[in-house]
Amino acid sequence: MAANMKVKERVAKKQTLCGALMLIEALKAENVKVIFGYPGGAVLPIYDKLYESGVFHVLTRHEQGAIHAAEGYARISGKPGVVIATSGPGATNIVTGLTDAMMDSIPLVVFTGQVASSVIGSDAFQEADVLGITMPITKHSYQVRDVHELPKIIKEAFHIATTGRPGPVLIDIPKDMAVAEAEFDYEQEVQLPGYQPTTKPNHLQIRKLVEAVSQAKRPVILAGAGVLHANAHEQLKQYAEQQHIPVIHTLLGLGGFPADHPLFLGMAGMHGTYTANMALYECDLLINVGARFDDRVTGNLAHFAPKATVAHIDIDPAEIGKNVPTKIPIVGDAKEALIQLIEQNGKRPDVSDWLKQLNEWKREYPLMYKREPGVLKPQRLIEMIHEYTNGEAIVTTDVGQHQMWVAQYYKFKQPHRWVTSGGLGTMGFGLPAAIGAQLAQPEATVVSIVGDGGFQMTLQELSVIQELNLPIKIVIVNNQALGMVRQWQEIFYEKRYSHSLIPNQPDFVRLAEAYGMKAMRATTEEEAECVLKEAFATNAPVLLDFHVCPGENVYPMVAPGKGLHEMVGVKW
């Protein structure tokens, strides 16, 4: 009886809509608060229905800006970022963002326009094989060939993007599918027999790990972004404290464990701390929670954790054993696994000698740089920003030297405060990502720290920041170079600076002022103090152009092909 009433209720809710209205109603049903996009011919039917829909749409000034903004929104809100782009060049302009989101496990639902179904394959105006282009760089891709299928496709897309290991899903909508009409039914359940992510870890594997921990003398936890995706930061802290196991973060995992906690060893990898890297080299038990053993973390695999039994907790079974042989594989959600480990309350290992050694390394090999009178060091700049924001700001970056200095010197104490491009290393990411981050948390302090090179790739999004009056503080770490490229050329290419120096820069202050934005410049530590104080005292967007020491390099460093124990730049 109740089942029959439910069916009748569903039938009553059905209504006939065109594809464009179906899309809008589906977004409302998914509680989407903001979408990022750029109109064009193939999506005009969709934009026409958006006109009076009440859905908040952000018109970025480039499709790359739209998808990076959606990534920033997703990272901070925990909800999928939504993007609309037109066919052809509109769709191909989001390819970088799709790849970025795929590598960093960011949930996106992206709608691309397509030429009419009748001319697909004829090289029609602004036609591109979007499915062929994006299939390797999305979690899943759809092309709508029957408007009746559109509600089901959209519902599946949101489900796929946000469950299991998150990622981007693309829906390609031919123009005629946006105007065709059919019954709209969004109440149907998602049924995907071939897609059933494992969230509950195997109890026997959990017991194996509990036993391994009890016998370990030098255990360490390597925590990645999977901890943040699972909202497992509290469980990670509780488990580490319960078992007294020190914690190391990957670049994307920063914030998942408080940087001021005595058990925190810092970031691992190419520019990680000496203590973190040596801990990975000397440990006898390595517990990976939600990280994928990226090459920038492991260095030379032949020398990675050579003395350790490796346990790997990951929701994506394809990552376990892919790069590093794993003795204790645990497939499942990071939070679920940590909850089970906490409940087991296994015998705490004797780590007194291990912690003593780690603390000695911390004291003997801290992160370091030399302060010089009249010179603004980039490391000091990051420390000053940390002081002015009390380490609580949402920080977005581009990629390169400034990104590594932020990772080293901005001590993230909370989760979901760090937005950067990790796996793909996308220049131009930081500024548009800050737009999405600010829209996700309007009351938060958002600081976009960018290089002078990457900033010029997406600087047109200053227009969006000004238009929406987003109080983002844009910090340009200006060393008149593609800094990391220059550093590698200095170290590995005998200082042959082939096209990495950019001494002829625009006046970024006047540029920001042309966008109607307050802007200031600083070239010394004293000037930096003044402009930072003024910038953070205002609730409006501000651009700050900091001319830092141009020859400064990021250290410590693990050279390509070297093991984590072969760092350079750890002492004067």
Side-chain angles (χ1 to χ4, degrees):
M1 182 80 170
N4 288 338
M5 287 183 67
K6 192 172 182 181
V7 170
K8 287 179 181 178
E9 189 178 330
R10 280 183 56 197
V11 171
K13 286 183 179 178
K14 290 181 182 179
Q15 50 185 320
T16 299
L17 300 175
C18 67
L21 278 175
M22 286 184 183
L23 191 160
I24 291 165
E25 290 303 313
L27 294 180
K28 290 179 179 179
E30 294 290 347
N31 200 28
V32 172
K33 299 299 184 185
V34 58
I35 59 179
F36 304 88
Y38 204 98
V43 290
L44 281 182
I46 296 171
Y47 271 84
D48 184 59
K49 299 304 181 186
L50 271 173
Y51 187 68
E52 294 180 336
S53 67
V55 176
F56 181 52
H57 176 279
V58 176
L59 174 65
T60 57
R61 300 319 191 243
H62 192 285
E63 289 89 355
Q64 183 179 357
I67 196 161
H68 290 332
E71 287 185 272
Y73 181 86
R75 288 195 193 213
I76 297 304
S77 70
K79 301 173 183 177
V82 177
V83 179
I84 300 178
T86 195
S87 64
T92 57
N93 277 343
I94 63 170
V95 166
T96 297
L98 285 171
T99 314
D100 191 273
M102 185 67 174
M103 292 195 74
D104 288 353
S105 305
I106 305 302
L108 300 179
V109 178
V110 178
F111 299 91
T112 53
Q114 183 56 274
V115 299
S117 304
S118 58
V119 294
I120 289 178
S122 69
D123 292 331
F125 177 66
Q126 290 194 330
E127 179 185 3
D129 181 6
V130 177
L131 254 62
I133 293 167
T134 64
M135 197 168 290
I137 55 170
T138 55
K139 197 173 175 185
H140 195 67
S141 294
Y142 295 89
Q143 187 174 78
V144 181
R145 302 310 293 262
D146 182 347
V147 72
H148 294 84
E149 297 290 309
L150 183 55
K152 179 174 79 76
I153 287 172
I154 297 174
K155 193 154 195 174
E156 287 179 3
F158 276 90
H159 175 73
I160 293 169
T162 56
T163 55
R165 179 179 179 173
V169 178
L170 181 137
I171 302 175
D172 195 42
I173 305 178
K175 191 172 184 178
D176 55 314
M177 292 296 107
V179 298
E181 294 186 343
E183 275 192 344
F184 176 70
D185 178 11
Y186 208 68
E187 300 295 318
Q188 54 194 300
E189 298 293 325
V190 173
Q191 295 182 347
L192 297 169
Y195 175 72
Q196 300 291 329
T198 299
T199 57
K200 299 285 186 182
N202 183 287
H203 179 69
L204 293 178
Q205 296 301 99
I206 292 288
R207 284 299 310 162
K208 284 182 184 178
L209 180 52
V210 170
E211 182 63 23
V213 169
S214 71
Q215 297 178 12
K217 299 295 183 186
R218 301 183 305 280
V220 72
I221 294 170
L222 176 65
V227 171
L228 299 170
H229 293 313
N231 284 313
H233 48 281
E234 290 291 346
Q235 288 75 21
L236 174 64
K237 181 172 177 285
Q238 187 177 345
Y239 178 65
E241 290 175 342
Q242 182 194 76
Q243 297 297 315
H244 227 92
I245 303 176
V247 177
I248 296 166
H249 266 315
T250 65
L251 173 69
L252 290 178
L254 291 171
F257 193 82
D260 56 357
H261 196 287
L263 287 173
F264 186 59
L265 305 183
M267 182 179 73
M270 180 172 281
H271 296 293
T273 66
Y274 181 89
T275 306
N277 284 343
M278 288 305 297
L280 288 171
Y281 184 72
E282 294 290 349
C283 68
D284 64 358
L285 175 64
L286 171 54
I287 306 169
N288 179 333
V289 186
R292 59 185 179 84
F293 285 130
D294 173 74
D295 60 293
R296 287 291 173 102
V297 168
T298 64
N300 188 326
L301 284 169
H303 301 293
F304 181 72
K307 307 167 187 178
T309 297
V310 177
H312 191 169
I313 299 168
D314 207 296
I315 201 162
D316 184 356
E319 290 296 343
I320 298 178
K322 184 177 80 174
N323 295 327
V324 174
T326 301
K327 188 170 183 181
I328 307 174
I330 301 176
V331 179
D333 179 78
K335 179 182 278 189
E336 292 285 347
L338 288 167
I339 287 172
Q340 287 196 26
L341 288 168
I342 292 164
E343 290 174 347
Q344 289 289 313
N345 195 17
K347 178 187 172 186
R348 178 189 282 191
D350 180 6
V351 294
S352 53
D353 290 343
W354 178 228
L355 293 179
K356 182 180 177 182
Q357 174 66 79
L358 294 172
N359 286 327
E360 285 179 7
W361 283 335
K362 281 184 182 181
R363 286 191 298 271
E364 191 171 352
Y365 302 101
L367 292 170
M368 60 184 185
Y369 66 95
K370 289 181 179 178
R371 292 169 73 172
E372 300 173 21
V375 174
L376 179 58
K377 289 297 183 79
Q379 301 95 325
R380 178 59 190 149
L381 173 62
I382 304 306
E383 287 179 333
M384 291 162 69
I385 295 170
H386 180 271
E387 291 162 9
Y388 270 97
T389 60
N390 196 31
E392 296 175 351
I394 294 171
V395 180
T396 75
T397 74
D398 273 351
V399 169
Q401 286 183 316
H402 71 278
Q403 177 193 36
M404 293 298 107
W405 285 318
V406 175
Q408 291 176 336
Y409 290 95
Y410 195 97
K411 307 300 184 183
F412 291 93
K413 297 179 289 187
Q414 302 174 53
H416 311 301
R417 291 290 184 271
W418 172 230
V419 183
T420 195
S421 171
L424 194 62
T426 305
M427 290 178 69
F429 175 88
L431 186 67
I435 294 172
Q438 188 73 81
L439 289 170
Q441 282 198 21
E443 302 306 314
T445 298
V446 176
V447 184
S448 183
I449 303 177
V450 296
D452 47 297
F455 173 66
Q456 293 183 75
M457 291 190 171
T458 52
L459 63 81
Q460 68 275 1
E461 305 308 334
L462 289 174
S463 184
V464 178
I465 295 172
Q466 185 274 334
E467 177 186 330
L468 300 178
N469 195 31
L470 301 176
I472 298 166
K473 307 302 179 274
I474 303 149
V475 172
I476 302 176
V477 183
N478 190 342
N479 55 10
Q480 294 86 54
L482 305 177
M484 194 60 83
V485 176
R486 183 205 56 75
Q487 176 170 333
W488 279 52
Q489 288 172 338
E490 176 182 320
I491 298 171
F492 304 117
Y493 295 92
E494 300 177 353
K495 299 185 179 180
R496 293 191 294 274
Y497 301 122
S498 180
H499 302 285
S500 61
L501 305 181
I502 320 174
N504 187 21
Q505 297 276 29
D507 185 329
F508 292 125
V509 170
R510 291 174 64 189
L511 177 70
E513 288 172 348
Y515 279 98
M517 189 179 298
K518 183 178 178 64
M520 294 176 280
R521 181 180 293 110
T523 60
T524 66
E525 196 171 313
E526 293 72 25
E527 290 175 354
E529 286 276 5
C530 293
V531 300
L532 284 171
K533 183 177 181 180
E534 186 175 346
F536 285 111
T538 180
N539 191 35
V542 182
L543 182 141
L544 303 171
D545 181 19
F546 292 101
H547 286 236
V548 300
C549 179
E552 201 71 8
N553 288 335
V554 183
Y555 289 113
M557 181 177 184
V558 178
K562 299 293 184 180
L564 294 184
H565 63 301
E566 298 175 289
M567 287 165 282
V568 296
V570 295
K571 277 208 167 187
W572 297 121

